[in-house]
Amino acid sequence: MSHFTKQIHSAKTIAITGHIHPDGDCIGSCLGLRQYILDHDPNKQVDVYLESVPAEFLFLKGAENIFLEPQDKEYDLFFVLDCSSVDRFVPFADMVDKAKILFCIDHHISNQGLGDFCLVDPQASATCEVLCQIFDMNEISLSCAECLYTGIVHDTGVFKHSNTTKATMTYAGNLLEKGVNCSKIIDETFYQKTFVQNLALGKALLNSSLEVDGQIIVSFLTQENLTEISASSADLNGIIDQLRITKGVETAVFLYPMTPESYKVSMRSNTKVNVSSIAQEFQGGGHIRAAGCTMHGTIEDIKQQIISRIQQQL
Ligand code: 5GP
Ligand code: MN
């Protein structure tokens, strides 16, 4: 019996969490794991804790039961998914600390072995793909398959990023066989944007500039920009991907405000630059072609620091 199966068998109470500002892979993997466990043993207590759940993911089974705030509870087993370090699950870190066992499942190259058990596959496109490796494909329900498929769709940018492999497509194919409605999931969770999200994209494109002979594109949104269009940081997914596909660009950088003194830095590269190593230099992390960190200072200072690091690699 694998560690995974053994730990689930022996735990009476199980909790699952993922990273702050949860994305499709984070939400899909947390709800997919919950569903897989419940499909095998409906009497188990399995609670999911996430900071927020964007409306487009509320159709996934179990999304309505997600706890948005920590509780004063001690679990036998706590799964931490799609997180490479403790600072990524801050709101629930105390709860995780109190749990008897911490089991981490992830695909970030920057994960150095979090928890009592840690399954990390940096070759996997998504944490949902790592779950496909662990789960028995014959025992995945449609509800679980929808969660896993959503995660893979999001972390591969609909099967187009360089992390998409033959294995990714095979797992996705197996999930489709369970009856997943791929067009609905792809359109309604990935491509569809609210009016406000489109305004934020438009503003970010107007704020963008080309640097270093057009090899780098940098953009930002200020708190004033966000306030003007009533947008929040939850409305900014996808902006970095639009910047990245600008013709001639190798690396894209996007900044948005976290606090009055700090900015979230999102980075994507096409073929050359290892953005994970740059993010790690500033206590962030991620993947070689998609990474992020939080930096203090003015937009201009942060831009210059990041551009010089990218330039060293070009
Ligand atoms: P995004 O730019 O979409 O926020 O993040 C890209 C990738 O980098 C994701 O896989 C995300 O988990 C990772 N990432 C983003 N920000 C941070 C951070 O501050 N710390 C760490 N460890 N990883 C991050
Ligand atoms: Mn992921």
Side-chain angles (χ1 to χ4, degrees), residues 25 82 107-108 126-127 155 287:
D25 185 34
D82 205 32
H107 69 128
H108 289 93
T127 297
D155 265 21
H287 314 282

Side-chain angles (χ1 to χ4, degrees), residues 108 155 161 266-269 273 275-276 279 285-292:
H108 289 93
D155 265 21
H161 296 335
S266 257
M267 293 179 279
R268 298 290 185 271
S269 69
V273 174
V275 287
S276 173
H287 314 282
I288 291 172
R289 305 271 174 256

Side-chain angles (χ1 to χ4, degrees), residues 197-212 214-223 225-226 229 236 238-246 249 251-257 262-268 291 293 295 298-304 306-307 310:
Q197 287 168 337
N198 274 337
L199 290 181
L201 170 64
K203 190 71 197 161
L205 295 178
L206 288 171
N207 284 352
S208 69
S209 61
L210 290 174
E211 312 283 342
V212 193
Q215 295 179 87
I216 306 173
I217 189 164
V218 185
S219 183
F220 60 88
L221 286 174
T222 61
Q223 189 52 54
N225 291 152
L226 295 178
I229 57 172
L236 313 180
I239 291 179
I240 186 72
D241 299 307
Q242 188 61 39
L243 294 169
R244 181 186 67 85
I245 57 172
T246 308
V249 158
T251 307
V253 182
F254 176 56
L255 313 182
Y256 61 88
S262 68
Y263 283 85
K264 179 84 209 176
V265 181
S266 257
M267 293 179 279
R268 298 290 185 271
C293 55
M295 289 175 69
T298 64
I299 288 181
E300 226 17 73
D301 286 344
I302 296 171
K303 263 168 80 169
Q304 288 319 318
I306 294 289
I307 290 170
I310 297 170

Side-chain angles (χ1 to χ4, degrees), residues 134-258:
I134 303 170
F135 292 174
D136 180 342
M137 266 294 160
N138 297 317
E139 298 191 5
I140 293 180
S141 64
L142 171 57
S143 298
C144 176
E146 285 176 335
C147 297
L148 301 180
Y149 188 84
T150 300
I152 294 175
V153 160
H154 279 258
D155 265 21
T156 58
V158 193
F159 308 106
K160 75 174 182 297
H161 296 335
S162 57
N163 58 1
T164 310
T165 63
K166 181 178 172 185
T168 314
M169 299 306 266
T170 305
Y171 286 126
N174 289 336
L175 297 172
L176 281 186
E177 266 194 333
K178 305 285 177 188
V180 170
N181 184 340
C182 59
S183 343
K184 188 176 157 63
I185 288 182
I186 292 170
D187 277 345
E188 293 181 11
T189 75
F190 192 88
Y191 287 112
Q192 201 173 77
K193 298 287 171 201
T194 62
F195 184 66
V196 166
Q197 287 168 337
N198 274 337
L199 290 181
L201 170 64
K203 190 71 197 161
L205 295 178
L206 288 171
N207 284 352
S208 69
S209 61
L210 290 174
E211 312 283 342
V212 193
D213 301 326
Q215 295 179 87
I216 306 173
I217 189 164
V218 185
S219 183
F220 60 88
L221 286 174
T222 61
Q223 189 52 54
E224 291 71 37
N225 291 152
L226 295 178
T227 307
E228 194 187 337
I229 57 172
S230 304
S232 75
S233 60
D235 295 312
L236 313 180
N237 287 342
I239 291 179
I240 186 72
D241 299 307
Q242 188 61 39
L243 294 169
R244 181 186 67 85
I245 57 172
T246 308
K247 194 169 169 61
V249 158
E250 159 57 19
T251 307
V253 182
F254 176 56
L255 313 182
Y256 61 88
M258 293 285 281

